[in-house]
Amino acid sequence: MEDTYNNRTSLAKGAKDMVKEAKRHTAKKVNKVVDRATDEYSSHRNYSRFQDEEDEDEDFYRNPPRQDGERYNDNEEGSSDATEGHDDEDEIYEGEYQGIPSAGDRRHKEGQVAIGQPVSDATRDRKGLEEERQADEEELAQQYELIIQECGHGRFQWQLFLVLGLALMSDGVEVFVVGFVLPSAETDMCVPNSSSGWLGSVVYLGMMFGAFFWGGLSDKVGRRQCLLICMSTNGFFAFLSSFVQGYGLFLLCRFVAGFGIGGAVPIVFSFFAEVLSREKRGEHLSWLCMFWMIGEIYASAMAWAIIPHYGWSFSMGSAYQFHSWRVFVVVCALPCVCAVVALTFMPESPRFYLEVGKHDEAWMILKQIHDTNMRARGQPEKVFTVNRIKIPKQLDELVEMESESGNPVSKVFFRIKAEIHGIYLNLMKCFNYPMRENMMRLAIVWFTLSFGYYGLSVWFPDVIKHLQADEYASKVKIHNNERIEDFTFNFTLENQIHRNGLFLNDRFINMKLRSVTFIDSTFRNCHFDDVTSVGSFFRNCTFIDAVFFNTDIDDSKLIDGTEVINSTFTHNKIGCQMTFDDDYSAYWVYFINFLGTLAVLPGNIVSALLMDKIGRLSMLGGSMVLSGISCFFLWFGTSESMMIFMLCLYNGLSISAWNSLDVVTTESFPTVRRGTGFGFCNALCKLAAVMGNLIFGSLVGITKSIPILMASSVLVGGGLVGLRLPDTRANVLM
């Protein structure tokens, strides 16, 4: 019995010694792998070295060396990779689970140690894992730049350029379609002055929320998929808005349409930058900005050609009216529809796939880019030489799960809540060191440039309209104490004031009253048949034994104590009447906007050609400062021609700042946060646009000094801050 006890004690002691020895060898091998990885991250290598070294690593993990210098055989007789372990030294006992081999027999994975077993992230420090991923991203950035250079710049990039350009063009159209349809839509829908202006603000608010949401979501689910969804949302609700009759429904449709198109700018620039090499990035991103200007020109030209033509309309009774401005809304949705169709034929960003660990999908797309460009060059025999690409370490995320018993609606809201929370956490990383200072500067530049640009964009046309209104009012014809009896009015009365008039047995048949005001006048035994009044009112007038048939004269036109005695109203027209027939001012306003957008063309071309020559920051700061200085010349804008010239000058100078800011923002964020960071900046842009519209719009006709000083100061201040941003011209896309 004593011998048996001693044998058992010796056996247990021997087993403990073996376990200690195994742990010592394991720790030694872990330290060796970590030291080797650290040395690799500190050196600059090309992607051919990645392939050789990863092959060596794979062989090392599959066949670790013995202490005598030899290697173990993977297929050593009597051993099983699934149940018995690889060798005696690892002390993996029979029956221990070692995981399922991944597809393609790729046994070497991130996070494995020399014995071939993955180390759980839960047992490692989170900060250490993030530092490891950061090192992987730096390594991937260098390798990816070399791969894109091998793929070349050719047909694939130009195809994607046109497709993304249509999406960016849709954003430009959406911004300007609001200003063009605002007067017509509010008149057509009988919107009171207290509710006017909401259309412009609600669209920008939708774009603000959309930029933040879709930009952040593109970092999680992909550029192409998010862009398809947001563009489809915009196209559907923009088309639907042209048919709704109520102002509330129209606002809702335009809000959702703005929410959809809000994601276009951050996703488009992020997507295109990820298929461009460093030497091509600045110039071609600047050329892409031209599509936003093309959207402006398209919207201005269509507004000029369609909206003033009242004949481009139809009606279904008196309740449903489809006027020319609705035709304009449908036409402006066409670029978005074309972008959605074209985008279905394009692949996802390979850079995004690499960031989320989808190596094979990214490799296939990169090969597609390479082969497409080589065939276009007449070199189809050239082979894509990349075999393996570095993938950053994938960090586990804690995700709160919804109960399976929940209803579908609650699951959808729960999913949206979870996505927004993830976007918020990703955004907070943009404000961490060392990105915090640059992020704050970018936010200031975006806000100031947008506040000055959109504020003046609203102020310029309104000032021109105010000057036109003053000139129009100066030409008013005033009739006092007139007496008209047994006369038939069958023509248009325009820009007139009638005081203390007496109308006896007169007939107003098939006529229009445009900006006509009757004050203290009397109408006795008069007949009104098919009369349309625009901007016309009856103030403190008296109607005795009058007949109104098929007119739009109602209580909104009979104001200031007007009395109606023994008179009848039959078949009154429903809705607010609008007409552009022979309306010179409508043509003139749209033509002015068209000239302003054409003035952007020279500045866009210059910025694209000089972006890489004089630098992003010099162009950004210089353009904003010059735009601010040009605002001071508005003191001399006392006529329409002078204001139009200043509008063209300002637009031509400011476009270079927009182009360079788009490029700098794209290059300032790593791939995992590029959509989120750009979306946040673009959301600030739309917030500043709303504030600029409200503040500058309220000052029209009151004072010129405050808008001029405000715009000049914010533009110059923003330009000086922009000069302090880091130069991103030499950056590879992290």
Side-chain angles (χ1 to χ4, degrees):
M1 291 293 292
E2 185 177 356
D3 294 338
T4 302
Y5 176 79
N6 292 334
N7 290 338
R8 290 180 178 177
T9 303
S10 301
L11 183 60
K13 183 177 181 181
K16 291 181 179 179
D17 293 338
M18 291 174 64
V19 172
K20 290 180 180 179
E21 187 69 11
K23 289 182 178 179
R24 185 177 65 82
H25 284 289
T26 301
K28 182 186 296 183
K29 291 182 179 181
V30 171
N31 292 335
K32 183 177 180 181
V33 172
V34 173
D35 293 339
R36 187 170 181 270
T38 303
D39 294 337
E40 290 174 355
Y41 293 143
S42 62
S43 61
H44 175 75
R45 304 174 298 163
N46 58 28
Y47 63 79
S48 62
R49 291 186 57 189
F50 282 106
Q51 300 168 15
D52 298 338
E53 293 175 8
E54 289 185 0
D55 290 340
E56 293 175 4
D57 290 344
E58 184 174 358
D59 184 58
F60 174 81
Y61 287 112
R62 184 169 54 244
N63 213 2
R66 299 177 187 266
Q67 291 184 356
D68 56 5
E70 297 180 0
R71 291 184 180 270
Y72 288 98
N73 189 352
D74 284 342
N75 299 321
E76 198 172 287
E77 186 176 357
S79 65
S80 170
D81 285 352
T83 59
E84 294 182 3
H86 297 292
D87 52 68
D88 298 331
E89 201 173 44
D90 292 338
E91 288 294 329
I92 300 176
Y93 301 103
E94 183 172 339
E96 183 175 352
Y97 178 73
Q98 299 181 43
I100 301 174
S102 62
D105 196 27
R106 294 182 60 192
R107 302 179 186 176
H108 169 45
K109 298 181 180 179
E110 294 294 333
Q112 287 188 338
V113 295
I115 59 175
Q117 298 305 306
V119 177
S120 174
D121 287 352
T123 63
R124 301 180 59 181
D125 182 66
R126 182 74 179 183
K127 185 176 181 181
L129 293 174
E130 292 179 351
E131 291 176 354
E132 182 177 344
R133 177 179 173 86
Q134 178 68 22
D136 289 347
E137 289 176 346
E138 294 175 0
E139 199 169 333
L140 171 60
Q142 299 294 337
Q143 185 188 11
Y144 189 80
E145 177 67 24
L146 296 170
I147 295 174
I148 289 295
Q149 290 178 7
E150 179 179 335
C151 292
H153 188 92
R155 177 179 293 176
F156 179 87
Q157 279 84 359
W158 287 113
Q159 290 174 347
L160 186 62
F161 174 81
L162 294 175
V163 173
L164 297 180
L166 284 173
L168 196 60
M169 176 181 173
S170 302
D171 183 85
V173 170
E174 185 71 22
V175 169
F176 282 85
V177 73
V178 175
F180 292 142
V181 305
L182 186 61
S184 304
E186 291 179 343
T187 301
D188 189 21
M189 297 179 180
C190 306
V191 179
N193 292 333
S194 59
S195 300
S196 64
W198 270 105
L199 178 58
S201 300
V202 79
V203 172
Y204 282 123
L205 287 174
M207 297 176 76
M208 179 183 71
F209 291 114
F212 176 73
F213 179 77
W214 296 114
L217 197 64
S218 68
D219 288 334
K220 292 180 171 293
V221 303
R223 319 297 192 204
R224 175 181 175 272
Q225 184 175 353
C226 270
L227 190 57
L228 270 173
I229 297 174
C230 71
M231 295 299 295
S232 300
T233 302
N234 171 256
F236 176 77
F237 282 95
F239 184 78
L240 182 63
S241 68
S242 65
F243 294 95
V244 299
Q245 293 294 300
Y247 190 61
L249 284 177
F250 185 76
L251 284 178
L252 178 62
C253 288
R254 296 314 302 186
F255 175 82
V256 180
F259 177 78
I261 200 63
V265 171
I267 299 177
V268 162
F269 282 100
S270 300
F271 197 165
F272 195 50
E274 290 168 359
V275 296
L276 295 174
S277 62
R278 178 171 51 193
E279 61 184 10
K280 300 284 186 180
R281 199 163 55 227
E283 178 183 354
H284 286 81
L285 285 177
S286 299
W287 288 121
L288 184 65
C289 295
M290 288 189 64
F291 279 94
W292 202 86
M293 176 207 68
I294 295 174
E296 296 182 45
I297 296 176
Y298 177 82
S300 301
M302 292 299 101
W304 183 29
I306 296 175
I307 295 180
H309 294 280
Y310 182 69
W312 291 22
S313 61
F314 66 89
S315 61
M316 298 174 63
S318 59
Y320 187 87
Q321 304 288 331
F322 195 90
H323 293 302
S324 57
W325 67 268
R326 297 181 183 271
V327 179
F328 168 71
V329 172
V330 173
V331 172
C332 286
L334 296 180
C336 181
V337 176
C338 295
V340 171
V341 174
L343 195 60
T344 57
F345 298 97
M346 302 306 297
E348 180 58 86
S349 166
R351 190 69 170 86
F352 169 78
Y353 272 152
L354 291 173
E355 285 293 334
V356 296
K358 297 183 178 181
H359 174 277
D360 295 342
E361 292 87 343
W363 185 89
M364 290 295 294
I365 295 173
L366 288 169
K367 185 178 185 300
Q368 176 186 348
I369 297 174
H370 176 274
D371 294 346
T372 301
N373 292 339
M374 292 306 111
R375 284 195 300 268
R377 293 180 182 180
Q379 299 174 333
E381 71 283 353
K382 197 167 183 180
V383 179
F384 186 52
T385 60
V386 179
N387 294 325
R388 183 172 297 166
I389 309 171
K390 183 69 176 179
I391 296 179
K393 179 173 182 60
Q394 303 302 305
L395 302 180
D396 296 333
E397 295 183 2
L398 296 176
V399 179
E400 186 179 359
M401 302 299 293
E402 170 73 350
S403 173
E404 292 293 336
S405 60
N407 60 69
V409 177
S410 66
K411 289 182 178 180
V412 170
F413 280 103
F414 188 86
R415 178 64 184 274
I416 294 175
K417 177 184 175 182
E419 293 295 345
I420 294 176
H421 181 67
I423 294 170
Y424 172 77
L425 294 179
N426 205 22
L427 175 64
M428 290 299 99
K429 295 180 181 179
C430 295
F431 288 94
N432 292 340
Y433 180 84
M435 296 181 59
R436 183 190 301 113
E437 187 175 352
N438 294 337
M439 185 67 179
M440 296 300 296
R441 291 173 180 170
L442 272 176
I444 293 173
V445 175
W446 271 96
F447 188 88
T448 54
L449 179 58
S450 178
F451 183 82
Y453 178 81
Y454 286 104
L456 288 179
S457 296
V458 171
W459 189 71
F460 271 123
D462 284 347
V463 167
I464 293 175
K465 291 179 184 178
H466 188 71
L467 292 174
Q468 289 179 337
D470 290 343
E471 183 180 0
Y472 187 75
S474 66
K475 298 178 180 179
V476 64
K477 297 179 180 178
I478 301 177
H479 304 273
N480 293 316
N481 302 317
E482 59 184 343
R483 176 188 176 95
I484 301 176
E485 187 174 357
D486 293 325
F487 186 81
T488 299
F489 294 88
N490 56 3
F491 48 87
T492 299
L493 296 180
E494 181 177 3
N495 197 19
Q496 298 180 9
I497 296 177
H498 298 264
R499 285 195 178 97
N500 298 319
L502 178 61
F503 299 87
L504 300 175
N505 300 319
D506 294 324
R507 292 167 298 279
F508 300 81
I509 300 175
N510 192 21
M511 65 166 300
K512 297 174 183 177
L513 301 175
R514 183 178 299 156
S515 300
V516 178
T517 302
F518 295 91
I519 303 175
D520 299 329
S521 298
T522 301
F523 298 84
R524 186 184 295 272
N525 294 324
C526 292
H527 186 81
F528 297 83
D529 187 355
D530 192 15
V531 177
T532 300
S533 59
V534 178
S536 300
F537 301 94
F538 297 86
R539 298 179 181 275
N540 195 30
C541 296
T542 302
F543 292 87
I544 302 174
D545 297 327
V547 177
F548 297 87
F549 180 82
N550 192 27
T551 70
D552 64 348
I553 300 175
D554 54 17
D555 292 339
S556 63
K557 307 291 179 68
L558 308 175
I559 59 177
D560 295 345
T562 296
E563 295 182 347
V564 179
I565 302 173
N566 197 26
S567 300
T568 59
F569 293 82
T570 56
H571 297 284
N572 267 22
K573 295 181 179 181
I574 300 176
C576 298
Q577 306 301 312
M578 55 184 299
T579 176
F580 289 100
D581 294 344
D582 305 320
D583 192 350
Y584 173 75
S585 62
Y587 283 97
W588 185 239
V589 169
Y590 297 125
F591 180 68
I592 290 172
N593 283 277
F594 182 68
L595 289 179
T597 55
L598 282 181
V600 175
L601 181 61
N604 220 319
I605 296 175
V606 170
S607 65
L609 295 176
L610 300 181
M611 182 68 69
D612 289 323
K613 292 182 173 59
I614 68 175
R616 289 96 158 105
L617 302 185
S618 299
M619 182 170 293
L620 172 62
S623 177
M624 290 186 68
V625 171
L626 290 177
S627 299
I629 295 175
S630 68
C631 292
F632 285 105
F633 291 97
L634 293 175
W635 291 106
F636 307 101
T638 56
S639 63
E640 287 186 43
S641 57
M642 179 61 71
M643 295 300 296
I644 294 172
F645 172 76
M646 295 307 305
L647 172 65
C648 295
L649 177 63
Y650 174 75
N651 286 345
L653 289 174
S654 61
I655 192 62
S656 298
W658 282 111
N659 293 356
S660 53
L661 184 57
D662 289 333
V663 175
V664 170
T665 306
T666 303
E667 296 174 337
S668 296
F669 297 99
T671 303
V672 291
R673 289 184 287 276
R674 184 170 298 119
T676 304
F678 205 130
F680 174 78
C681 293
N682 201 251
L684 276 181
C685 167
K686 298 306 183 290
L687 176 62
V690 173
M691 296 178 62
N693 287 343
L694 296 176
I695 295 175
F696 282 79
S698 63
L699 298 174
V700 174
I702 299 177
T703 178
K704 289 174 59 177
S705 59
I706 295 179
I708 291 173
L709 293 176
M710 189 182 302
S712 299
S713 59
V714 297
L715 288 172
V716 173
L720 296 177
V721 173
L723 293 173
R724 300 293 303 275
L725 288 168
D727 190 4
T728 60
R729 180 166 38 178
N731 287 6
V732 293
L733 290 182
M734 287 286 295

